[in-house]
Amino acid sequence: MIRLFITLPVTVALIVFAACNQAPVELSWLQWKWTSSPGVLALLVAALFYATGSASVWIVVLRQIRRARRAELELRTLRASQPDADATARPPGLTSAPANSPMLKAYAAAQPVETQPEPEVDPAPQTAAQLPRPPEHS
């Protein structure tokens, strides 16, 4: 947004200058001489400086992007090389959260606790039906 507030008035001023100075004038630089209007020359110089500034900014931005990609790749290799000690305690969706993270605790509290199914016990083999014992007399 700040660039807009800077670029817009400068561009408008250059266009007004180019519109007001349309008469051809003989211009020279060192030994070169040519005829052009000062407005066109101002617009060409502004375009040249704008392109140069944009290129220099992109060089810096691309350097930062490369540095960030290298750091991300290094982080991935470091994470892959370290054994994950508490991988079994973490839910599958939260593998990147630290073990003592409040987010992990809240996630685990919200999930239903899974219980192990009880192993099925084979009923005792049925023996032959036994008759009731007669009462004992003393």
Side-chain angles (χ1 to χ4, degrees), residues 6-57:
I6 294 171
T7 307
L8 190 63
V10 170
T11 305
V12 169
L14 278 172
I15 291 172
V16 169
F17 180 79
C20 292
N21 294 300
Q22 292 182 357
V25 177
E26 186 175 316
L27 302 168
S28 64
W29 188 67
L30 296 176
Q31 296 179 356
W32 296 288
K33 295 184 188 228
W34 68 93
T35 303
S36 176
S37 73
V40 171
L41 181 65
L43 288 174
L44 289 175
V45 169
L48 177 72
F49 281 130
Y50 185 80
T52 306
S54 297
S56 65
V57 167

Side-chain angles (χ1 to χ4, degrees), residues 92-104:
L94 297 174
T95 56
S96 63
N100 58 356
S101 168
M103 181 178 72
L104 184 65

